[in-house]
C-alpha cells in the first residue's frame, strides 16, 4: 500500500510540472531578460522537440544555454544568448567553432532558425 501511495504521489508531481518551451518566452528588445506570463522567468525552457536546446534562466536572465547532438551529448554550451561558448563533437571532445560549423551545419541552421523566431517586446525593460 505504501508503494502504491508513493507511486501515485510521484505521478501527481510529474503531471503538475509544466514544461516551458523557449517559444513561450518573450524577451526584452536587447534579449537580456526573458518573461513568462509577464514575469521574469526562472527555470529551464526547452526547444519544441524537448531535446535540441535547453536554456536555464534566473530572474529572466540566461545562466546557461545547451545545444545537444542527436545522441544526447552536448554540442554547444554557453552563457550568452547572442554569443557562442564551448563547442563539442558528437563524442564530447572540445572543437573549435569553425570546425563545429563545418561539421554540424544542421545544428547551426536549427539554432539560427530558432534564434530568428524568438519573440521580443520592445516595451519590456
Amino acid at each position: 500500500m505504501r508503494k502504491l501511495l508513493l507511486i501515485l504521489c510521484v505521478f501527481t508531481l510529474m503531471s503538475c510540472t509544466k514544461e516551458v518551451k523557449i517559444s513561450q518566452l518573450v524577451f526584452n528588445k536587447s534579449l537580456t531578460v526573458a518573461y513568462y506570463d509577464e514575469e521574469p522567468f526562472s527555470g529551464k525552457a526547452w526547444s519544441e522537440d524537448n531535446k535540441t536546446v535547453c536554456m536555464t534562466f534566473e530572474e529572466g536572465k540566461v545562466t546557461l544555454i545547451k545545444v545537444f547532438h542527436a545522441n544526447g551529448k552536448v554540442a554547444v554550451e554557453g552563457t550568452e544568448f547572442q554569443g557562442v561558448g564551448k563547442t563539442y563533437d558528437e563524442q564530447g571532445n572540445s572543437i573549435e567553432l569553425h570546425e563545429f560549423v563545418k561539421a554540424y551545419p544542421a545544428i547551426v541552421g536549427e539554432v539560427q532558425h530558432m534564434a530568428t523566431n524568438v519573440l521580443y517586446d520592445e516595451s519590456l525593460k
Side-chain angles (χ1 to χ4, degrees):
M1 183 68 168
R2 277 180 105 174
K3 278 187 178 181
L4 179 61
L5 185 57
L6 180 61
I7 290 170
L8 288 174
C9 286
V10 169
F11 281 123
T12 302
L13 287 173
M14 287 171 55
S15 65
C16 291
T17 304
K18 183 175 180 186
E19 202 162 292
V20 175
K21 303 291 184 201
I22 295 167
S23 62
Q24 294 174 295
L25 301 176
V26 177
F27 290 82
N28 63 353
K29 186 176 182 180
S30 62
L31 301 175
T32 56
V33 181
Y35 295 84
Y36 181 72
D37 286 341
E38 299 180 11
E39 294 292 326
F41 179 66
S42 291
K44 290 184 179 185
W46 283 87
S47 53
E48 293 299 316
D49 64 2
N50 289 323
K51 62 181 182 179
T52 303
V53 180
C54 180
M55 298 176 72
T56 305
F57 298 86
E58 190 171 305
E59 295 180 18
K61 298 186 190 246
V62 174
T63 58
L64 183 63
I65 301 169
K66 286 187 178 184
V67 179
F68 298 90
H69 288 287
N71 67 1
K73 293 210 181 247
V74 174
V76 180
E77 186 174 42
T79 57
E80 294 181 37
F81 188 67
Q82 295 179 313
V84 174
K86 299 175 185 173
T87 50
Y88 304 93
D89 65 17
E90 290 176 286
Q91 289 73 44
N93 302 308
S94 181
I95 61 173
E96 295 295 321
L97 177 60
H98 69 276
E99 294 174 287
F100 182 86
V101 170
K102 195 175 191 178
Y104 305 105
I107 293 174
V108 173
E110 189 165 340
V111 170
Q112 286 176 336
H113 175 73
M114 192 179 75
T116 58
N117 289 314
V118 165
L119 299 174
Y120 71 92
D121 184 336
E122 292 183 22
S123 68
L124 296 172
K125 294 181 180 180

